[in-house]
Amino acid sequence: LCLNGQTINGKITIGSGATLTLTDCSGSGRVQGEVTVNGGKFELYSGTITGGVQVGMKGSAYQTGSAFTMYGGTISGHNASSGSGSGGGVFLVGTTNHVDPPSFTMHGGTISGNTAGASDGGGGGVYVGEKCSFTMDGGTITDNTATNGNGGGIYIHFNAGRVSISNAMITGNKASATGNTSYGHGGGIYSERGVTVKNVTITGNNSTFEGGGIYGNGTINLTDATVTDNNQYDVYYGGGEGSAPKLTVSGLVKAGYYANYAWKLPILVSGELSKDSVIRVGVLEDMKPNAGGSLLIAKPAASGVKLRAENFESYAADCVTSLSEDGNVYLVPCTHEMDDTGYTCK
């Protein structure tokens, strides 16, 4: 179906066994209503959808095999303020018992200006529910908001299926919930489990509480990723104690990471870091090393990976990073040297 600059007012449902390919030949065509995929296939190449896209359905009406593939176009302006309030732009509806659960593949296009607004809702741009799969290999998720939940840009359920995020832009999203500190996390991405991002830029996102860029309850993997200029710490690990490092980096990585008693240091460097990589590390004041002491902040995953102290910077006052003879990077108290400009931390 080519919209040809025209507007469809109303809902579109793609049922079991059906396939709808939607495009627009003029650039101004739009669907002013929700598109629901329940057992069918939906492909979007161009045009604008203002009512959001729901993939899958709960209850007795559920049909298997729902799939949405986005090559271009825009999903914008949907305010999910009723019902669950989850998934302002794209809502992948999943349950524990789903067979052939819903999937969403994003190769391009833009998901912008959507809101997940109901109490405890989340995923202003994309909500990935139980067993559901999400592959983002291109495109932009920007300026979406979760007003009473988590994940302004993307929300990933702890029991979600395969999730891969690469070659993408995630910018200007907000998790703006206030009051209950269980919500308002993960301005760009909120994951109840681990998350892997590759060749992704995550900037300018905002959360009321922790994780303006990424909030993860499992291992966070960054490869060739930029997670900068987000508030409330660019990268935040929100899970419990464990023996394994919870931030893994390789390639060209620019990000900030902050550690308190429940977060895990050291950072694990799984592959050689580019000389231009900069990872800023901060800790609570009373975790800082005392004079003559040190705090392990980064170590290589294998003997062939060599670290440089220059790839790591200290958020902690009066502390600097230092490469030790054992090949690890430590946080150590600096010495103050006096010159014509005053005291300098060395």
Side-chain angles (χ1 to χ4, degrees):
L1 173 63
C2 177
L3 292 169
N4 195 28
Q6 305 303 309
T7 298
I8 294 177
N9 290 296
K11 180 177 180 178
I12 296 175
T13 299
I14 305 165
S16 181
T19 298
L20 173 63
T21 300
L22 184 68
T23 187
D24 177 41
C25 306
S26 73
S28 59
R30 61 183 52 233
V31 176
Q32 294 189 162
E34 182 180 66
V35 177
T36 299
V37 186
N38 187 28
K41 314 293 183 185
F42 178 39
E43 297 179 342
L44 176 65
Y45 284 88
S46 58
T48 299
I49 299 171
T50 63
V53 176
Q54 178 174 310
V55 189
M57 186 175 291
K58 291 183 178 180
S60 59
Y62 163 71
Q63 300 292 322
T64 63
S66 303
F68 172 34
T69 304
M70 185 175 183
Y71 297 96
T74 302
I75 300 171
S76 69
H78 182 225
N79 187 343
S81 58
S82 60
S84 68
S86 297
V90 178
F91 183 19
L92 300 178
V93 184
T95 66
T96 303
N97 298 320
H98 267 181
V99 177
D100 194 5
S103 66
F104 173 34
T105 302
M106 185 177 183
H107 294 295
T110 301
I111 299 173
S112 66
N114 303 285
T115 302
S119 176
D120 78 7
V126 178
Y127 183 100
V128 186
E130 280 193 87
K131 298 294 186 72
C132 299
S133 298
F134 174 44
T135 300
M136 186 179 187
D137 183 21
T140 301
I141 296 177
T142 184
D143 297 329
N144 303 282
T145 304
T147 57
N148 289 293
N150 298 310
I154 302 170
Y155 181 105
I156 303 168
H157 192 278
F158 77 88
N159 198 28
R162 182 179 182 273
V163 177
S164 173
I165 301 171
S166 61
N167 307 313
M169 299 282 291
I170 301 172
T171 64
N173 302 285
K174 298 179 181 178
S176 58
T178 58
N180 187 338
T181 58
S182 296
Y183 309 119
H185 304 283
I189 300 173
Y190 177 89
S191 179
E192 291 185 339
R193 60 177 204 179
V195 61
T196 297
V197 296
K198 182 177 181 180
N199 193 27
V200 176
T201 297
I202 302 173
T203 62
N205 301 283
N206 186 290
S207 61
T208 303
F209 302 109
E210 293 85 358
I214 300 174
Y215 183 108
N217 277 333
T219 301
I220 302 165
N221 295 302
L222 304 179
T223 300
D224 298 326
T226 298
V227 191
T228 58
D229 299 320
N230 307 280
N231 83 325
Q232 298 288 25
Y233 322 123
D234 291 313
V235 179
Y236 182 101
Y237 167 66
E241 283 287 354
S243 59
K246 294 302 180 182
L247 177 63
T248 301
V249 297
S250 64
L252 176 57
V253 176
K254 296 183 178 181
Y257 185 61
Y258 196 88
N260 69 21
Y261 299 115
W263 309 355
K264 294 310 298 179
L265 285 171
I267 298 166
L268 187 65
V269 182
S270 59
E272 200 74 24
L273 283 173
S274 162
K275 64 181 180 61
D276 295 322
S277 293
V278 178
I279 302 164
R280 298 175 304 281
V281 183
V283 297
L284 289 178
E285 281 297 310
D286 53 0
M287 283 182 66
K288 292 195 306 183
N290 297 320
S294 62
L295 177 67
L296 177 62
I297 63 169
K299 67 178 184 179
S303 58
V305 178
K306 295 183 179 180
L307 305 191
R308 292 179 291 266
E310 293 78 8
N311 288 141
F312 301 89
E313 292 183 356
S314 171
Y315 270 141
D318 296 327
C319 285
V320 294
T321 58
S322 176
L323 180 66
S324 177
E325 292 181 356
D326 63 6
N328 299 326
V329 175
Y330 291 84
L331 193 69
V332 298
C334 65
T335 57
H336 291 95
E337 296 185 359
M338 183 71 173
D339 57 23
D340 293 340
T341 61
Y343 285 106
T344 303
C345 186
K346 297 288 187 179

